[in-house]
Amino acid sequence: MRATVTRLWLTVLMTAGLWVGSQIAGAQSDSSQSLPQLHKQGTAVQLLVDGRPFVILGGELHNSSASSLAYMEPIWPRLVSLNLNTVLATVSWELLEPEEGRFDFALVDGLLDGARRHNLRLVLLWFGSWKNGVSSYVPGWVKQDVSRFPRMQPKAGDNAEVLTPLSDTNCTADARALAALMRHLKQVDGTRHTVLMVQVENEVGLLGASRDHSPPADAAFGKDVPADLMTYFQSHKGDLIPEFRKYWEAAGFRTTGTWTEVFGEGADEAFMAWHMARYLGRIAAAGKAEYPLPMYANAWLVQYDGEPAGRYPSGGPVSKVLDIWRAAAPAIDFLAPDIYLPDFKAVCASYTRSGNPLFIPESSPGPERAFYAVGQHEALGFCPFAIDSLPPEHPLNDAYRLLAELLPVIVQNQGAGRTCGLLQYKQDNEQIDFAGYRLEVSYPKEGKDTGYGLVIATGRDEFLVAGSGVGIHFSARTPGPRHTRILQVDEGRFQDGKWIPGRRMNGDEDAGGWRLQLSAGAPGIQRIKLYRHD
Ligand code: DGJ
């Protein structure tokens, strides 16, 4: 796994010229080769599970659901009927280590058992030092010992209920607990691979101020920016995320100096991001030393342009500080957005910069989001939040069923510019240049239906289109005969990877040979073949 991640980042580094992953290739055993791991196929990053590409069609449970196995029992079958393949479930520090040094794995074992009985995989969410900018999930023995486990101070002299990342004691205690969890997972799941990945903490950062003003934080803020971060910025100067590079530029691209001297207006957030990321990176490294599953950090997003850090958690992995996180935390494999904002496309685009693979651990539940993320960004997975509240007849059900049918074709075509996503957002048509063709896409007029889909270029002049509420007129953009026409359109489905054609779509169903049409409602799949003539 380590070798694979290193290879992955080396490839990312080479293709994008970015990211200084510092994992060191370790000795490989056969069993570590088949661990869930990230792997590069062309330009895409895939999650390999038991050696095969796997796309997470998931959902995240409410925060407290997985704290009771009895509570979970009726939920498992509901998740199955929603056609999920993976569940994101909390494992909290307070329940894992109720007394210092005594670990209780009963809940974790029960979750593994529940998932396996229902043929589901798990991503575990480690709610340790922080969850949504506060430290409410730390064990009582940590909560009550403020002098041993120091807090952040949004206002100097006033402890919040939030651990400071500038404490070795805090980090070591958390890392020891995550390491214990990973050691246990290796023992009980090292060959079954029910658990695919681990989220380290949840939506970290400081709320209420742009930086920690506790004594150790104030002392560190007065010192120079660490050389490692300066080296990263200098060696990636041309490719840095522009929203943050601008602060460095405004300060004259200084190569040494205090946080304020180097990052000016961005100093507080840069400082917080560095320390948060270092802390999470240390925890992740300790966990991976026991059992090297992919690990990521998720973000509470900036809610509007110009929102000040501290109103959203300052130092959290928002996309503008991607570079700082990368420099500080090579053991964190990627950063993941929790997307409740309406402009889903923009958020996805902002998290696929400089080689960051897209994984969406939380989102509102629209099926259109799943199609777009997988089609446009070859996402590792999509997981609406509060999945246990969705009724089995929710539209996600049909969307996941259909995506699951298509997954073998999708993963086979990843990494080569052969898939794209369609998502209606404030428009009723758009033009997309894709795989040598221009796609003129029409969506329903503003109303209750949202058009969405994905397109896969499966062969010469041949496409698979899956989705709902879209019409597509194709015209070739490559040299050759002038007119592009429809040879045939079939609706159909995949069964065990095999295409089973249904109706031949002609006449009203393809606008008289003009465009492929997927009607609104439950998504469908159509295969179109084109030809050209003068
Ligand atoms: C985002 C958090 O990450 C989740 O754990 C949950 O609290 C949701 N917000 C609630 O909307």
Coordinates of all heavy atoms in Angstrom, one line a residue, residues 60 63 125-135 152 162 199-207 276 280 296-303 312-318 325 336-340 351 361-363 385:
E60 N -23.5 8.6 4.3 CA -23.0 8.7 5.6 C -24.1 8.7 6.6 O -25.2 9.4 6.5 CB -22.2 10.0 5.7 CG -21.6 10.2 7.1 CD -20.6 11.3 7.2 OE1 -19.8 11.5 6.3 OE2 -20.6 12.0 8.3
N63 N -24.6 11.2 12.9 CA -23.4 11.1 13.7 C -23.5 10.0 14.8 O -22.6 9.4 15.1 CB -23.2 12.4 14.4 CG -22.9 13.6 13.5 OD1 -23.1 14.8 13.8 ND2 -22.4 13.3 12.3
L125 N -15.2 6.9 10.1 CA -15.0 8.3 10.3 C -14.4 8.4 11.7 O -15.1 8.1 12.7 CB -16.3 9.1 10.2 CG -17.2 8.8 9.0 CD1 -18.5 9.6 9.1 CD2 -16.4 9.1 7.7
W126 N -13.1 8.8 11.8 CA -12.5 8.9 13.1 C -12.8 10.2 13.8 O -12.3 11.2 13.4 CB -11.0 8.7 13.0 CG -10.2 8.9 14.3 CD1 -9.3 9.9 14.5 CD2 -10.4 8.2 15.5 NE1 -8.8 9.8 15.8 CE2 -9.5 8.8 16.4 CE3 -11.2 7.2 16.0 CZ2 -9.3 8.4 17.7 CZ3 -11.1 6.7 17.3 CH2 -10.2 7.3 18.1
F127 N -13.8 10.2 14.7 CA -14.1 11.4 15.4 C -13.2 11.4 16.7 O -13.6 10.9 17.7 CB -15.6 11.4 15.8 CG -16.6 11.7 14.7 CD1 -16.2 11.7 13.4 CD2 -17.9 12.1 15.0 CE1 -17.1 12.0 12.3 CE2 -18.8 12.3 14.0 CZ -18.4 12.3 12.6
G128 N -12.1 12.0 16.5 CA -11.1 12.0 17.6 C -11.0 13.4 18.3 O -12.0 13.9 18.9
S129 N -9.9 14.1 18.0 CA -9.7 15.4 18.7 C -10.8 16.4 18.2 O -11.1 17.3 19.0 CB -8.4 16.0 18.3 OG -7.3 15.2 18.8
W130 N -11.3 16.3 17.0 CA -12.2 17.4 16.5 C -13.3 16.8 15.7 O -13.1 15.9 14.9 CB -11.5 18.4 15.6 CG -10.4 19.1 16.4 CD1 -10.5 20.1 17.3 CD2 -9.0 19.0 16.1 NE1 -9.3 20.5 17.7 CE2 -8.3 19.8 17.0 CE3 -8.2 18.2 15.3 CZ2 -6.9 19.9 17.1 CZ3 -6.8 18.3 15.4 CH2 -6.2 19.2 16.2
K131 N -14.5 17.4 15.8 CA -15.6 17.1 15.0 C -16.3 18.5 14.8 O -16.8 19.1 15.8 CB -16.5 16.1 15.6 CG -17.5 15.5 14.7 CD -18.9 16.2 14.8 CE -19.8 15.7 13.7 NZ -20.9 16.6 13.5
N132 N -16.4 18.9 13.6 CA -17.0 20.2 13.2 C -16.5 21.4 14.1 O -17.2 22.1 14.7 CB -18.5 20.2 13.4 CG -19.1 19.3 12.3 OD1 -18.7 18.2 12.2 ND2 -20.0 19.8 11.5
G133 N -15.1 21.5 14.2 CA -14.5 22.6 14.9 C -14.6 22.6 16.4 O -14.2 23.5 17.0
V134 N -15.2 21.5 17.0 CA -15.2 21.4 18.4 C -14.6 20.0 18.8 O -14.4 19.1 18.0 CB -16.6 21.6 19.1 CG1 -17.0 23.1 18.9 CG2 -17.6 20.7 18.5
S135 N -14.4 19.9 20.1 CA -13.8 18.6 20.6 C -14.7 17.8 21.5 O -14.4 17.3 22.5 CB -12.5 18.9 21.4 OG -11.5 19.5 20.6
M152 N -7.7 25.4 22.5 CA -7.5 26.6 21.7 C -8.1 27.8 22.5 O -9.1 27.6 23.2 CB -8.2 26.5 20.4 CG -7.5 25.4 19.5 SD -7.5 25.9 17.8 CE -8.5 24.7 17.0
V162 N -12.2 23.1 22.7 CA -11.5 22.7 21.5 C -10.0 22.5 21.8 O -9.4 23.4 22.2 CB -11.6 23.8 20.4 CG1 -11.3 23.2 19.0 CG2 -13.0 24.3 20.3
Q199 N -11.6 8.3 7.4 CA -11.6 9.7 7.5 C -10.9 10.2 8.8 O -11.4 9.7 9.9 CB -13.0 10.2 7.4 CG -13.1 11.8 7.5 CD -14.5 12.2 7.4 OE1 -15.2 12.0 6.4 NE2 -15.0 12.8 8.5
V200 N -9.9 11.0 8.7 CA -9.2 11.4 10.0 C -9.9 12.7 10.5 O -9.8 13.7 9.8 CB -7.7 11.6 9.7 CG1 -7.0 11.9 10.9 CG2 -7.1 10.4 9.0
E201 N -10.5 12.6 11.6 CA -11.3 13.7 12.2 C -12.5 14.1 11.3 O -12.8 13.4 10.4 CB -10.4 14.9 12.5 CG -9.0 14.6 13.2 CD -9.1 14.1 14.6 OE1 -10.2 14.3 15.2 OE2 -8.2 13.5 15.1
N202 N -13.1 15.2 11.6 CA -14.2 15.6 10.9 C -14.4 17.1 10.8 O -14.5 17.8 11.9 CB -15.5 15.0 11.4 CG -16.7 15.3 10.5 OD1 -16.9 14.6 9.6 ND2 -17.5 16.3 10.8
E203 N -14.3 17.7 9.6 CA -14.4 19.2 9.5 C -13.7 19.9 10.5 O -14.3 20.7 11.3 CB -15.9 19.5 9.4 CG -16.7 19.0 8.2 CD -18.1 19.6 8.0 OE1 -18.5 20.3 8.9 OE2 -18.6 19.3 7.0
V204 N -12.3 19.8 10.5 CA -11.5 20.4 11.5 C -11.3 21.9 11.2 O -11.6 22.4 10.1 CB -10.1 19.8 11.6 CG1 -10.3 18.3 12.0 CG2 -9.3 20.0 10.3
G205 N -10.8 22.6 12.2 CA -10.6 24.1 12.1 C -11.1 24.8 13.3 O -11.8 24.2 14.1
L206 N -10.8 26.1 13.4 CA -11.2 26.8 14.6 C -12.4 27.7 14.2 O -12.3 28.5 13.2 CB -10.0 27.7 15.1 CG -10.4 28.7 16.2 CD1 -10.8 27.9 17.5 CD2 -9.2 29.6 16.5
L207 N -13.4 27.7 15.0 CA -14.6 28.6 14.8 C -14.5 29.7 15.8 O -14.0 29.5 16.9 CB -15.9 27.8 15.0 CG -16.2 26.8 13.9 CD1 -17.3 25.9 14.3 CD2 -16.6 27.6 12.6
M276 N -3.0 22.4 11.9 CA -4.1 21.4 11.8 C -3.6 20.2 10.9 O -3.8 19.0 11.3 CB -5.4 22.0 11.1 CG -6.2 22.7 12.1 SD -6.9 21.6 13.3 CE -7.6 22.6 14.5
L280 N -3.1 16.3 11.9 CA -3.8 15.2 11.3 C -2.8 14.2 10.5 O -3.0 13.0 10.5 CB -4.9 15.7 10.3 CG -6.3 15.8 10.9 CD1 -6.4 16.9 11.9 CD2 -7.3 16.0 9.8
Y296 N -8.1 10.3 4.5 CA -8.4 11.6 4.0 C -8.9 12.5 5.1 O -9.3 12.1 6.2 CB -9.4 11.5 2.8 CG -10.8 11.1 3.3 CD1 -11.8 12.0 3.6 CD2 -11.1 9.7 3.4 CE1 -13.0 11.6 4.0 CE2 -12.4 9.3 3.8 CZ -13.3 10.3 4.1 OH -14.6 9.9 4.6
A297 N -9.0 13.8 4.7 CA -9.6 14.8 5.6 C -10.7 15.5 4.9 O -10.6 15.8 3.7 CB -8.5 15.8 6.0
N298 N -11.8 15.7 5.6 CA -13.0 16.4 5.0 C -13.1 17.8 5.4 O -12.7 18.2 6.5 CB -14.3 15.6 5.3 CG -14.7 15.6 6.7 OD1 -13.9 15.6 7.6 ND2 -16.0 15.6 7.0
A299 N -13.8 18.6 4.6 CA -13.9 20.0 4.8 C -15.3 20.6 5.0 O -16.2 20.2 4.2 CB -13.2 20.8 3.7
W300 N -15.5 21.4 5.9 CA -16.6 22.4 6.0 C -16.2 23.5 5.1 O -15.2 24.2 5.3 CB -16.7 22.8 7.5 CG -17.6 24.0 7.8 CD1 -17.9 25.1 7.1 CD2 -18.2 24.2 9.1 NE1 -18.7 25.9 7.8 CE2 -18.9 25.4 9.0 CE3 -18.2 23.4 10.3 CZ2 -19.6 25.9 10.1 CZ3 -19.0 23.9 11.4 CH2 -19.7 25.1 11.3
L301 N -17.0 23.8 4.1 CA -16.6 24.7 3.0 C -16.8 26.1 3.3 O -17.7 26.5 4.2 CB -17.4 24.3 1.7 CG -17.2 22.9 1.2 CD1 -18.1 22.7 0.0 CD2 -15.8 22.6 0.9
V302 N -16.1 27.0 2.7 CA -16.3 28.4 2.7 C -17.7 28.6 2.1 O -18.0 28.1 1.0 CB -15.3 29.2 1.8 CG1 -15.5 30.7 1.8 CG2 -13.9 28.9 2.3
Q303 N -18.6 29.3 2.8 CA -20.0 29.4 2.3 C -20.2 30.4 1.3 O -21.2 30.4 0.5 CB -20.9 29.6 3.5 CG -20.8 28.5 4.5 CD -21.3 27.1 4.0 OE1 -22.4 27.0 3.5 NE2 -20.4 26.2 3.9
Y312 N -16.1 30.1 8.9 CA -16.0 28.6 8.6 C -14.7 28.2 9.4 O -13.9 29.1 9.7 CB -15.8 28.4 7.1 CG -14.6 29.0 6.5 CD1 -13.4 28.3 6.4 CD2 -14.7 30.3 6.0 CE1 -12.3 28.9 5.8 CE2 -13.5 30.9 5.4 CZ -12.4 30.2 5.4 OH -11.2 30.8 4.8
P313 N -14.5 26.9 9.7 CA -13.4 26.5 10.5 C -12.0 26.9 9.9 O -11.6 26.4 8.9 CB -13.5 25.0 10.7 CG -15.0 24.8 10.4 CD -15.4 25.7 9.3
S314 N -11.3 27.8 10.6 CA -10.1 28.3 10.1 C -9.0 27.2 10.2 O -8.8 26.7 11.3 CB -9.6 29.6 10.9 OG -8.4 30.0 10.4
G315 N -8.3 27.0 9.1 CA -7.3 25.9 9.1 C -7.8 24.6 8.6 O -7.0 23.7 8.3
G316 N -9.1 24.5 8.4 CA -9.6 23.3 7.8 C -9.2 23.1 6.4 O -8.8 24.1 5.7
P317 N -9.4 21.9 5.8 CA -9.0 21.7 4.4 C -9.8 22.2 3.3 O -10.3 21.5 2.4 CB -8.9 20.1 4.4 CG -9.9 19.7 5.4 CD -10.0 20.7 6.4
V318 N -10.1 23.5 3.4 CA -10.8 24.2 2.3 C -9.9 24.3 1.1 O -8.6 24.2 1.3 CB -11.3 25.6 2.7 CG1 -12.4 25.5 3.8 CG2 -10.2 26.5 3.1
W325 N -1.9 22.1 3.2 CA -2.2 20.7 3.7 C -1.2 19.7 3.1 O -0.8 18.8 3.7 CB -3.6 20.4 3.4 CG -4.5 20.8 4.5 CD1 -4.9 22.1 4.8 CD2 -5.1 20.0 5.6 NE1 -5.7 22.1 5.9 CE2 -5.8 20.9 6.4 CE3 -5.0 18.7 5.9 CZ2 -6.5 20.4 7.6 CZ3 -5.7 18.2 7.0 CH2 -6.4 19.0 7.8
A336 N -11.3 16.2 1.0 CA -12.6 15.9 0.5 C -13.7 16.9 0.9 O -13.7 17.2 2.1 CB -13.0 14.5 1.0
P337 N -14.4 17.4 0.0 CA -15.4 18.4 0.3 C -16.8 17.8 0.8 O -17.2 16.9 0.2 CB -15.6 19.2 -1.0 CG -15.4 18.1 -2.0 CD -14.4 17.2 -1.5
D338 N -17.3 18.4 1.8 CA -18.7 18.1 2.2 C -19.6 19.1 1.5 O -19.6 20.3 1.8 CB -18.9 18.2 3.7 CG -18.1 17.2 4.5 OD1 -17.7 16.2 3.8 OD2 -17.9 17.3 5.7
I339 N -20.4 18.7 0.5 CA -21.0 19.6 -0.4 C -22.5 19.8 -0.1 O -23.3 19.0 -0.6 CB -20.8 19.3 -1.9 CG1 -19.3 18.9 -2.1 CG2 -21.2 20.5 -2.8 CD1 -19.0 18.6 -3.5
Y340 N -22.9 20.9 0.6 CA -24.3 21.2 0.8 C -24.6 22.5 0.0 O -25.8 22.9 -0.1 CB -24.6 21.4 2.3 CG -24.3 20.2 3.1 CD1 -23.1 20.0 3.8 CD2 -25.3 19.2 3.3 CE1 -22.9 18.9 4.5 CE2 -25.1 18.1 4.0 CZ -23.9 17.9 4.7 OH -23.7 16.8 5.4
Y351 N -12.0 21.1 -6.0 CA -11.3 20.0 -5.3 C -10.6 19.0 -6.2 O -10.2 18.0 -5.7 CB -12.3 19.3 -4.3 CG -12.3 20.0 -3.0 CD1 -13.1 21.1 -2.7 CD2 -11.4 19.6 -1.9 CE1 -13.1 21.7 -1.5 CE2 -11.4 20.2 -0.7 CZ -12.3 21.3 -0.5 OH -12.2 21.9 0.7
P361 N -17.6 12.9 0.9 CA -18.1 12.1 2.0 C -19.4 12.5 2.6 O -20.1 11.8 3.3 CB -17.0 12.3 3.1 CG -16.3 13.5 2.7 CD -16.5 13.8 1.2
E362 N -19.8 13.8 2.3 CA -21.1 14.3 2.7 C -21.6 15.2 1.6 O -20.9 15.9 0.9 CB -21.0 15.2 3.9 CG -20.6 14.5 5.2 CD -20.6 15.4 6.4 OE1 -21.5 16.3 6.5 OE2 -19.7 15.3 7.2
S363 N -23.0 15.1 1.4 CA -23.6 15.9 0.4 C -25.1 15.9 0.7 O -25.6 15.0 1.4 CB -23.3 15.4 -1.0 OG -24.1 16.0 -2.0
F385 N -25.2 12.7 3.2 CA -25.3 12.7 4.6 C -26.7 12.3 5.1 O -27.6 12.5 4.4 CB -24.9 14.0 5.2 CG -24.9 14.0 6.7 CD1 -23.9 13.3 7.4 CD2 -25.9 14.6 7.4 CE1 -23.9 13.2 8.8 CE2 -25.9 14.6 8.8 CZ -24.9 13.9 9.5

